[in-house]
Structures are given as C-alpha cells and as structure tokens.
Amino acid sequence: MRIVRVHGFGPPEVMKVEESEPPRPASGQVVVDVELAGALFAETIVRSGRYPFPLPYEPGIEVAGRVTAAGPDVDPSLVGRRVVATTAGNTGGYAEQALAEVGNVYEVPSGLPLNRAVPVFQAGAVALSILSAMRVQSGETVLITAAAGRIGSLLVQLATAQGLRVIAAASTAGKLAIAADLGAAVTVDYSASGWVDEVKDATGGRGVDVVLDAIGGDLGEQAGQTAADGAGRIGVYGFASGTWLPLDTLQIVQRGLTVVGPLGITFAKPLADQRADTEQALAAAAAGDLVPRVHATYPLDRAVDAHHDLEQRRNHGAILLTP
Ligand SMILES: NC(=O)c1ccc[n+]([C@@H]2O[C@H](COP(=O)([O-])OP(=O)(O)OC[C@H]3O[C@@H](n4cnc5c(N)ncnc54)[C@H](OP(=O)(O)O)[C@@H]3O)[C@@H](O)[C@H]2O)c1
C-alpha cells in the first residue's frame, strides 16, 4: 500500500509517497481503509522539525473510511463500519490503510458524509471543549483569532450558537467574509495596524470578555491587549506563529486578567468525557448545526501542496487528502 513517509525534517518536499506492507492490527486496534485523511497545521510543525519526533515517521493524525480488520480482543462487528479515527501513535494517516486504537474510533452518523465527518470530529471536539474550559456565558463577547481556520471556523459557529457576540479576526478579506457568514458579529483584519483599537471600539472601549488565541507571537500579544481590564479571560490554545503568546505577569496582575490553557483542561478530562465531546461534534454536524469548511482535497501524492497551503496561510477551513 502507499503511505507518505518523512526521513528527515524540513520543507513540505521531505514528504515522499512510498510502498509499505499493509498494517496488521495488534490487540485493541483496527485497520481503517482510508478514504480521506485530514492534513493539519499541527502536522506542519512536526514535519518542519519544530516538535520533537523520532525519524523516520509517517504523518497523519485523522482518517475516515471503513474498518477492514479488527485485532484480537476487538469487537469483530466493527469490521465494515464507516468510521473516523485518530491514528495509532498519531501517525500513518496519509496512507491507503491506517491503524487506530479502538478507543479512538467513532462510527460516523448515517447521512453525514466523510468529508464533513473528518474535519469536524476532532476539531469540533477541541472547539467545544475550549469554550467549556473558558466557561463562556451567553451575552459575553469573544475574540477568535484565525477565525476562518479549521478550528477557528468551528469556534465562530459554536460561540455564536451559545449566544456569544463573536469578534472574528483573520488576515484577509476573504477569510473575514467567511467568518461573517458563519455568524461573527464583527470582523477585524489583524494584518492592519490599529486592529486592537478596532476591537476595543466594537466593545464600547471596554474590551472583550474572552480572547481565544491560536497564533501567539506579536499577534497573540496584541490579541491579549483586547481583553477587558478587570474581567478578561485569555485562552491560549495554539502557536501558529511559531512562538507562544508572551505573558507579562505584572500586566496580568495590574490589569486583572485570567490566563487559561483550555487544551490542558481538555486533555485532563476523563476519556469518556473527551469521547462525549467528539460524539457531540459529530451529532451537531449530522444535524447541520455545525458545518466544517473544506478548503481543498488533494490526492496523496500532493500532500506537499497541502502543507504549502497550510504554511502559507491559504486555507479557509480544513484540508483533506485522498489516497
Ligand atoms: N488537535 C489539533 O489539531 C490541535 C490541538 C491543539 C492545538 N492546535 C493548534 O490550534 C491552532 C489552530 O489549528 P488549525 O488546525 O485550526 O489551523 P488553522 O487555523 O486552519 O491554520 C492556522 C492559521 O493560523 C493563522 N496564522 C497566523 N500566523 C501564522 C503564521 N505565521 N503561519 C501560519 N499560520 C498563521 C492563519 O490564519 P490567518 O491567515 O487568518 O492569520 C492560518 O490559516 C494551531 O496553532 C494548532 O497547532 C491544534
């Protein structure tokens, strides 16, 4: 079978399609015949060598398709089911077949196409869990960065549905139009100077109740400036810029801010609760209440193009691969 493999960290071109033996499921595992795999921004960080990982490795965290084999101790009735799954060891999804631990396999609700299930099952669960960890309340104002991204576009929809007033920030007019379409009340181009004042003006000068930052670096620091003094909560869940949001403790103390790591809260939850988030995201997508955006679907041998799109900030929503 064909699989994408990385022998040395570097630019997208280090990803090569190779032939490999089909995977065999060990105890507690299944084999998924991959119809679609997600290509994630986080995977570009690993591939470029900015996150420690043993070499060689096979990228690919998210897959969708039918279960074709079940390992010992696994319910054999899973074979033939249409599922989404995170891959065993978070690797090997850019392939014709992939292994998954049975606890990370989810049956896709009938009627939900796989190209909606893949971009929503993990990103939707993350988005739901971030909002819950930030204890958002209806009527609050939230600033969402990378608002047209894979997770950001779901956060905009979920926050709007929960009665929050969403201020969406992104880097292009096209991305802002998408965020507005998904429910954002206000959109702000954070590649333009003066965007922090724009956000403040949109809140009558007070600032926002909640900042959700996926970017870090200078943009993250500026996003933090939009939090309301004496009340604002800043949730940090990504560092797409390459550096985390810099924290100035004296400023946090003087301004009366709360800084939260919502993903750490998510991953500390019991596994049953984490599964419930995923099932909720899939059910919302099946009901049409949560609509993931798919920017592009590339064949496996164009995984390089998928990573270029992600690194050059071209993606509106998720990017998928098909073997
Ligand atoms: N399970 C997960 O997938 C997971 C878990 C934990 C954390 N995260 C983190 O959550 C964040 C969002 O993930 P995602 O998959 O939804 O990605 P994404 O938002 O679809 O893509 C990243 C976005 O970040 C923005 N960005 C700002 N500065 C950038 C830079 N220097 N280089 C590249 N992008 C930049 C771009 O949007 P604009 O052009 O609008 O700025 C870009 O489209 C990432 O930091 C990711 O590592 C993901």
Side-chain angles (χ1 to χ4, degrees), residues 41 122 149-151 170-171 175 190 214 237-240 263 313 315:
F41 183 80
Q122 204 205 122
R150 169 177 155 269
I151 296 173
S171 67
K175 291 183 177 188
Y190 54 24
Y237 74 95
F239 65 118
L263 284 177
R313 300 166 73 164
N315 64 302

Side-chain angles (χ1 to χ4, degrees), residues 39-45 50 61-62 122-123 126 130 145-153 169-172 175-176 190-191 213-216 219 237-242 244 263 267 309-319:
L40 315 185
F41 183 80
E43 292 168 343
T44 70
I45 295 177
R50 286 176 289 149
I61 297 172
E62 301 181 345
Q122 204 205 122
V126 167
I130 286 172
T145 59
R150 169 177 155 269
I151 296 173
S153 60
S171 67
T172 67
K175 291 183 177 188
L176 294 174
Y190 54 24
S191 59
D213 182 49
I215 294 171
L219 273 180
Y237 74 95
F239 65 118
S241 67
W244 289 99
L263 284 177
F267 298 135
D309 279 359
L310 290 163
E311 289 182 340
Q312 288 163 27
R313 300 166 73 164
R314 284 196 285 255
N315 64 302
H316 299 175
I319 298 188

